[in-house]
Amino acid sequence: MNVFSMRAFGYVLIMLLGLLSAAPNLLPTSVANKLPDWYSHNTLSLGLDLQGGSHLLLEADTQALFKQQLDDASDQLLSFLREQHIRYSRGDNSQLQQRSFVLKDVSQWPQVAKQAASLNLLSNGRSSISLELQGNKVVMQLSEAFQKALLKDAIDRSLDVVRKRLNETGLTEPSITRQGKDAILVQMPGVSDPQQIKALLGTTAQMSFHWQQPSPSGALMVKDRQGMPYFLETRVALEGTHIVDAQAAFSQESGQPVVNFKLDSQGAKLFGDMTKSNIGRVLAIVLDDEVVTAPVIRSAIPGGRGEISGSFTMAEAHDVALMLRTGALPVPLTVVEERTVGPDLGSDAIQMGVTTGIIGAALVLVYMLAAYGGWGLIACVGLSVNIGLVFGLLSLFGATLTLPGIAGLILTIGMAVDANILINERIKEETRNGRPAGMALKAGFDKAFATIIDSNFTTLIAVSLLFMFGSGPVKGFAVTIALGLLTSLFTSVSLTRLLMQWRVKGKERQPMPIGGLDISRWMPKKEVNFLRGKVPALCVSVALTLLSIGLFFKPGLHYGVDFTGGIMMEVHAPGMAVDDLRSAIERQGLGEVAIQEYGAEHEFLLRAANSGGDSPAPKVVEQLKATIVAANADASFPKVDVVGPKVSGEFADLSILALLIAGGGMLMYLWLRFEAHFAVAALATIGLDLTKTIGFFALTGIEFNLTAVAALLALLGYSINDKVVVFDRVRELFRREPEADIDSLMNRAVTSTLTRTLYTSVTTFLALLPMGIAGGDAVNSFALPMLFAVVIGTSSTIFIATPILSILSKRRAAKGKPQLRPTAEEIQQELAHLP
């Protein structure tokens, strides 16, 4: 077997494995059931926006966690001071991050410090508390290392408790993952109303037993549900951690719902002893700072079993029992982001995504066939295999397919053929220069390869930042684009090359005409002086950019709930007019709620701003739903988004950071691969493209949300891809003709790559066009700006990027600097001529 055959065998094997990995997604259930589970389950899972469900982001209350630890440590140390008769007075403890007390006798400080070190205030061998003497005041703080370890442990334990609670509810395959340092992301397919789940996960379920104290002095005051105060001993008589089982039941005496609990062996002994010694006293059971029951102990209670009664409904009793069984959360969790998608909306999204994707792919394939004939068919085969490989890899990694992911796949289809276009156009050039088929094929691939690498790598920089700083669906978009670029690179240098080599086998010495629509007959035969109008072009571009900046400030962007925070709710209310809906909401006094007609008839979009605090008022969504249902019993809520101000602020910060880092990363890469003036010209042009696209958002009123940020980063990748192809040709010409006239050289570079620039723009535009027309509001923030970006990016490549590069190149030449750093071969040649 020769080298060519071995390489072909390896390529084919890899592609077959990739396509086999994708196959389970298309197999009917009857066939899949006959296959091994490990293979049939190798499928893509659908995101909540495609199958319906709820998404909750729960943030840990770190202040409460640290406060509890600091209070415990402070109590331990102060107890020692009292036992040793060390006189002190309490300091100002209004600051959450520290506790302090004032020593009456500073000479006793060494004794205090020694005792603090000997107390159980250590964590993993390190001191958990830092103690500092400031004059005669002792300041206690949690050490930074201990705070990190404490938070990590609390989140780990919270993940376990949340998982147990959701499993107890019988939910189908909920996804529970850590998000950042202090949050937990819960995704629940099929849950269209997460109210009960929110209550379940937002309840800490810290339970403890306290004896009632006769005197209010020094007592812990806790109220019950009716607001009746109880004065309890601060010391915990029995921790709720001793509960090993709890079940909801009906009381045999009253017939009311109660919770029966069982203690572990140690807890049973403690409970028996303490009830035996305290007959006649009131024992309060406190759950999350609320007295749920406070019976008088009439006799000793052996066996470790008890009953909690507290005017429960049966559903409440079930929830309390569930929380006691699964354990208490070590830290309070607050819902800071909530998104709900109804199943009907999800199925519509799938149909829309698949339909627009198939139409877009078909348009691209038809165009390639028309443009290149039989060689276009090779590109179509490569593109089809490329899509299969993307699905195969997504399935292998257990990825989740979202609506932005489908949008990313459609964009990938348009961009993936760019490699084939580059190769075909290079081969055409070599053929026109008189090379036979074999040599033209080799030279075309060799010259196109470096350009393909540079253009794809710069796009990957933007995409990788989407993955690093994005969340949820935006990450799915980034993964899809990244995999699509990598697989297109593989198929272009493997499958496409193999098929082309097979096509010319035996005809290597003959001319190699590429069929299809030969637009070269309409293209300029000589270089076009694109730089002739560089001053007007730059002036128009800058003027449009300034206008876009003005539009950014007024009327401004139409920010989505991702950035403003608050509530956005889609409502379908048959037979209801917008005035009726507004009147119903205003009568309930739910604050300012913006209502607009949306989509089809009797469909509305409601927006409510944050009501203050760290998250939207948790009851507003439920109050809105209840109000609308009371006014129209047939009302439904296809989609609900709730985002807290902290989360929306983080989204904004991360979006700006991602754009800045993407620009910086591209600048560095182009600086290293080309030269400084190439990098500056590319980034300046992209900056102009970016501002115009933001102006497009402001002018059209398209919602600016996280999907819009994905569009901007995709624009960065697409636009830089386009510029790199032209700059690569400029670099090639500079190497070949270092003394040539700069403007003439630039014009030749643009003219020689013009066909490729237009072809790639057309294929990307065609791939996105069906989604832009029929994609609906769910993807408008991506598809429409990307269509605009394709047009603006293509025009800037031809009329803006090279004029800027020309100006910078002439300035560099005037300083006597070479346009390019010498290659390794040039350095060796210079060294060889040295004496």
Side-chain angles (χ1 to χ4, degrees):
M1 185 180 289
N2 59 38
V3 176
F4 175 77
S5 300
M6 289 180 64
R7 187 171 69 245
F9 176 77
Y11 288 155
V12 171
L13 181 61
I14 291 172
M15 286 183 279
L16 281 176
L17 290 174
L19 295 176
L20 283 172
S21 178
N25 294 286
L26 304 175
L27 294 176
T29 306
S30 57
V31 176
N33 290 337
K34 297 177 182 178
L35 297 172
D37 289 344
W38 63 265
Y39 180 64
S40 60
H41 291 167
N42 186 60
T43 57
L44 282 168
S45 56
L46 298 179
L48 297 183
D49 54 353
L50 296 180
Q51 65 172 319
S54 294
H55 152 128
L56 300 175
L57 184 64
L58 306 164
E59 184 182 53
D61 185 352
T62 55
Q63 295 298 335
L65 178 67
F66 297 152
K67 178 180 181 298
Q68 180 185 354
Q69 292 291 324
L70 201 53
D71 287 343
D72 289 346
S74 176
D75 290 344
Q76 286 186 57
L77 189 57
L78 294 181
S79 294
F80 164 77
L81 298 184
R82 289 191 294 270
E83 290 172 2
Q84 299 299 314
H85 305 293
I86 296 175
R87 298 177 62 201
Y88 70 92
S89 61
R90 291 186 180 271
D92 179 15
N93 289 325
S94 58
Q95 296 186 44
L96 294 174
Q97 299 293 332
Q98 66 179 40
R99 298 289 178 271
S100 64
F101 58 90
V102 179
L103 288 173
K104 299 295 184 180
D105 184 357
V106 181
S107 65
Q108 293 178 309
W109 161 246
Q111 189 179 357
V112 174
K114 182 179 178 181
Q115 180 60 24
S118 66
L119 285 171
N120 187 24
L121 303 181
L122 298 176
S123 170
N124 297 324
R126 297 187 299 254
S127 175
S128 60
I129 300 293
S130 66
L131 225 62
E132 183 182 353
L133 183 66
Q134 300 176 356
N136 62 341
K137 183 171 75 171
V138 179
V139 178
M140 302 176 63
Q141 290 180 303
L142 293 179
S143 68
E144 197 170 321
F146 180 64
Q147 287 185 36
K148 291 180 180 177
L150 188 66
L151 180 58
K152 182 181 182 302
D153 177 68
I155 295 297
D156 287 342
R157 288 190 289 138
S158 296
L159 281 166
D160 186 53
V161 173
V162 168
R163 189 171 289 109
K164 286 179 179 177
R165 289 186 183 181
L166 291 179
N167 288 340
E168 288 270 354
T169 64
L171 284 179
T172 304
E173 297 182 356
S175 170
I176 304 141
T177 54
R178 179 194 293 268
Q179 185 90 345
K181 295 185 298 182
D182 58 356
I184 295 173
L185 177 64
V186 178
Q187 293 182 308
M188 300 165 288
V191 176
S192 57
D193 187 0
Q195 178 59 22
Q196 184 181 1
I197 303 296
K198 283 195 296 181
L200 194 64
L201 300 181
T203 304
T204 312
Q206 294 277 6
M207 193 173 105
S208 56
F209 297 76
H210 295 258
W211 293 110
Q212 187 177 43
Q213 183 169 301
S215 167
S217 177
L220 176 68
M221 197 273 282
V222 185
K223 295 181 180 181
D224 63 10
R225 287 186 175 186
Q226 287 72 41
M228 179 179 175
Y230 286 81
F231 297 99
L232 310 175
E233 292 181 355
T234 55
R235 184 178 65 86
V236 176
L238 184 70
E239 293 281 1
T241 53
H242 290 290
I243 294 176
V244 293
D245 190 25
Q247 300 291 335
F250 288 100
S251 171
Q252 294 181 354
E253 297 178 0
S254 65
Q256 296 298 312
V258 295
V259 177
N260 293 325
F261 65 87
K262 179 183 177 182
L263 301 171
D264 60 20
S265 57
Q266 183 184 1
K269 184 177 184 305
L270 289 171
F271 194 59
D273 291 343
M274 70 187 227
T275 52
K276 181 179 179 181
S277 304
N278 290 277
I279 294 174
R281 293 188 67 184
V282 172
L283 180 64
I285 300 177
V286 179
L287 181 67
D288 285 346
D289 298 324
E290 181 180 87
V291 174
V292 291
T293 187
V296 178
I297 301 302
R298 302 298 182 187
S299 62
I301 306 175
R305 294 181 180 273
E307 178 183 283
I308 303 173
S309 59
S311 302
F312 297 123
T313 64
M314 197 59 191
E316 291 171 337
H318 272 296
D319 285 348
V320 171
L322 184 154
M323 289 184 287
L324 295 181
R325 282 198 307 273
T326 55
L329 286 166
V331 59
L333 298 176
T334 306
V335 177
V336 292
E337 183 184 350
E338 173 189 342
R339 300 181 190 271
T340 301
V341 177
D344 292 338
L345 191 61
S347 60
D348 290 344
I350 293 176
Q351 184 177 1
M352 179 278 300
V354 171
T355 303
T356 56
I358 290 174
I359 295 173
L363 289 174
V364 171
L365 295 178
V366 169
Y367 183 82
M368 290 300 290
L369 286 172
Y372 294 111
W375 297 99
L377 179 61
I378 291 176
C380 293
V381 172
L383 181 60
S384 301
V385 172
N386 180 55
I387 295 171
L389 290 177
V390 172
F391 275 105
L393 288 172
L394 289 173
S395 301
L396 187 64
F397 296 150
T400 299
L401 185 64
T402 61
L403 192 56
I406 293 177
L409 187 62
I410 294 171
L411 178 61
T412 299
I413 292 170
M415 295 176 66
V417 294
D418 179 51
N420 294 95
I421 293 172
L422 276 168
I423 292 166
N424 285 344
E425 290 302 314
R426 276 292 193 174
I427 292 172
K428 273 187 175 182
E429 283 186 37
E430 300 301 323
T431 302
R432 283 196 294 267
N433 291 334
R435 295 200 177 196
M439 295 179 65
L441 188 63
K442 184 179 184 305
F445 268 95
D446 291 344
K447 291 183 177 181
F449 186 71
T451 307
I452 294 170
I453 292 292
D454 285 335
S455 59
N456 283 355
F457 194 85
T458 49
T459 305
L460 282 172
I461 291 175
V463 171
S464 63
L465 290 165
L466 266 179
F467 182 81
M468 290 169 60
F469 296 103
S471 64
V474 176
K475 282 194 173 185
F477 169 82
V479 169
T480 305
I481 290 242
L483 290 178
L485 289 173
L486 294 174
T487 54
S488 68
L489 179 62
F490 171 74
T491 53
S492 64
V493 300
S494 59
L495 179 62
T496 302
R497 186 163 192 166
L498 285 173
L499 291 175
M500 284 185 169
Q501 287 174 334
W502 171 75
R503 178 85 183 269
V504 301
K505 193 173 182 181
K507 305 174 184 177
E508 289 87 353
R509 297 185 178 277
Q510 300 177 15
M512 187 175 66
I514 295 180
L517 179 65
D518 185 11
I519 69 167
S520 61
R521 67 185 68 177
W522 298 291
M523 298 298 286
K525 299 296 185 292
K526 297 180 180 180
E527 66 184 60
V528 177
N529 191 357
F530 289 102
L531 296 181
R532 179 186 301 167
K534 64 182 178 183
V535 174
L538 288 171
C539 289
V540 170
S541 181
V542 171
L544 289 175
T545 289
L546 293 175
L547 177 62
S548 297
I549 294 172
L551 290 171
F552 173 77
F553 289 102
K554 190 174 183 179
L557 297 177
H558 177 50
Y559 291 104
V561 70
D562 294 330
F563 293 108
T564 62
I567 300 166
M568 186 177 74
M569 181 186 297
E570 292 182 19
V571 179
H572 177 62
M576 199 171 194
V578 65
D579 291 336
D580 299 332
L581 183 60
R582 183 174 287 109
S583 298
I585 292 172
E586 288 176 350
R587 282 196 298 269
Q588 296 298 317
L590 296 177
E592 187 176 344
V593 179
I595 306 171
Q596 67 181 81
E597 293 180 301
Y598 171 82
E601 190 178 6
H602 307 306
E603 290 186 357
F604 310 95
L605 187 66
L606 275 61
R607 293 176 182 271
N610 280 314
S611 56
D614 288 336
S615 62
K619 295 182 179 179
V620 172
V621 172
E622 300 312 315
Q623 289 174 337
L624 278 171
K625 286 184 177 180
T627 299
I628 296 167
V629 170
N632 187 323
D634 296 326
S636 59
F637 309 92
K639 186 176 181 182
V640 178
D641 287 344
V642 182
V643 180
K646 181 179 179 181
V647 174
S648 60
E650 289 175 351
F651 283 155
D653 294 342
L654 289 176
S655 299
I656 295 170
L657 184 62
L659 289 170
L660 291 175
I661 295 178
M666 291 175 182
L667 180 69
M668 290 183 62
Y669 181 78
L670 292 173
W671 198 310
L672 292 173
R673 285 288 291 154
F674 292 83
E675 260 297 347
H677 54 308
F678 283 82
V680 172
L683 264 295
T685 310
I686 289 173
L688 294 171
D689 292 347
L690 199 62
T691 51
K692 293 184 187 73
T693 307
I694 291 175
F696 175 79
F697 274 104
L699 189 64
T700 58
I702 295 173
E703 184 176 284
F704 193 83
N705 50 29
L706 285 179
T707 308
V709 175
L712 291 180
L713 282 165
L715 158 66
L716 286 180
Y718 176 82
S719 188
I720 197 73
N721 183 305
D722 224 18
K723 277 67 177 170
V724 164
V725 172
V726 177
F727 285 4
D728 184 78
R729 186 60 63 93
V730 171
R731 178 176 58 180
E732 181 183 326
L733 294 174
F734 268 139
R735 295 271 185 223
R736 190 190 306 163
E737 306 171 41
E739 303 301 326
D741 178 74
I742 289 176
D743 279 358
S744 175
L745 188 144
M746 298 285 175
N747 286 326
R748 271 188 286 157
V750 177
T751 304
S752 59
T753 57
L754 188 59
T755 304
R756 174 266 158 199
T757 300
L758 296 177
Y759 273 13
T760 299
S761 300
V762 169
T763 54
T764 307
F765 193 89
L766 289 176
L768 291 168
L769 187 60
M771 180 171 279
I773 295 173
D777 297 293
V779 290
N780 270 353
S781 297
F782 174 82
L784 295 179
M786 276 306 300
L787 287 170
F788 174 81
V790 169
V791 175
I792 206 73
T794 303
S795 60
S796 69
T797 297
I798 299 171
F799 299 108
I800 305 299
T802 42
I804 294 177
L805 181 59
S806 172
I807 293 169
L808 295 176
S809 297
K810 288 179 180 178
R811 184 175 299 175
R812 188 179 180 90
K815 294 179 180 178
K817 293 182 179 180
Q819 297 298 329
L820 297 170
R821 66 176 67 90
T823 63
E825 292 180 359
E826 291 171 340
I827 293 173
Q828 287 180 355
Q829 290 175 1
E830 288 182 9
L831 291 175
H833 288 88
L834 290 176

